[in-house]
Amino acid sequence: MTEQQKSVIKTLRQQNFSYNAIANTLGLTVSTVKSYCQRSGLAGNRKEACRSNHLKPSVLPSFCRCCGKQITQKEKVKRRIFCTDECRITWWNSHLEQVKRRNPHTVNCLCCGKEFTYYGPNPQKFCSHPCYIKHRYEGVTYVAETV
Ligand SMILES: [Zn+2]
Ligand SMILES: [Zn+2]
């Protein structure tokens, strides 16, 4: 559990959400949330919270995956997971491994014919920069052998 998740749990407990709802929001198991709350004195005070907080929250808030700030979701808009573009970029930059695992494509190099894998939405035609140069300036193009 990250420090950010801990602070989110604290906030949500203060707003009277159940272990279940918190676990769903953060993608944690209910028992993880529960045991953290019990260890941190966040358990068992829901009744008290109810009394002091008359406005029962109906919509579960979401929290920026990067900085943990609460996000106000707009209706009919895709649920956001980051509060700002900066947070989105910061988060993805620090999780490049996860970006890499998205959308792998295996294609053959247009120059040498070697099979290579690229990631992300931008199609790539060459396995390496030298291959690109060779193709671009020397016209080297791999032709698949036809049987
Ligand atoms: Zn943020
Ligand atoms: Zn190549």
Side-chain angles (χ1 to χ4, degrees):
M1 205 187 305
T2 63
E3 286 305 313
Q4 182 219 316
Q5 286 174 323
K6 286 176 190 172
S7 81
V8 169
I9 292 176
K10 211 175 280 180
T11 311
L12 286 177
R13 285 300 291 171
Q14 279 157 4
Q15 292 180 21
N16 234 1
F17 285 103
S18 65
Y19 297 134
N20 232 320
I22 297 172
N24 278 337
T25 306
L26 292 171
L28 298 167
T29 63
V30 176
S31 59
T32 306
V33 174
K34 197 173 174 180
S35 71
Y36 170 72
C37 289
Q38 279 162 352
R39 265 182 288 127
S40 318
L42 296 166
N45 58 0
R46 283 190 77 201
K47 267 184 195 159
E48 223 168 279
C50 272
R51 248 179 274 141
S52 58
N53 185 4
H54 294 292
L55 294 161
K56 253 199 139 190
S58 50
V59 183
L60 191 68
S62 23
F63 295 87
C64 177
R65 201 188 273 187
C66 176
C67 69
K69 219 164 80 181
Q70 194 167 329
I71 301 173
T72 320
Q73 300 288 355
K74 291 181 193 123
E75 272 180 66
K76 287 172 192 158
V77 176
K78 195 172 161 250
R79 211 176 149 81
R80 290 190 296 156
I81 45 176
F82 300 104
C83 65
T84 55
D85 274 353
E86 285 92 82
C87 270
R88 186 170 51 82
I89 291 159
T90 310
W91 194 88
W92 283 118
N93 279 343
S94 54
H95 293 78
L96 283 179
E97 277 312 302
Q98 291 187 34
V99 180
K100 279 193 166 185
R101 267 183 244 123
R102 290 157 114 213
N103 306 319
H105 297 272
T106 305
V107 290
N108 291 94
C109 176
L110 202 59
C111 171
C112 69
K114 203 173 84 180
E115 206 175 75
F116 71 98
T117 308
Y118 70 88
Y119 305 90
N122 304 319
Q124 283 171 31
K125 292 175 186 162
F126 304 98
C127 68
S128 58
H129 191 65
C131 272
Y132 163 75
I133 299 291
K134 263 196 207 165
H135 178 81
R136 180 88 172 69
Y137 297 102
E138 295 170 32
V140 179
T141 304
Y142 175 78
V143 182
E145 283 174 44
T146 44
V147 184

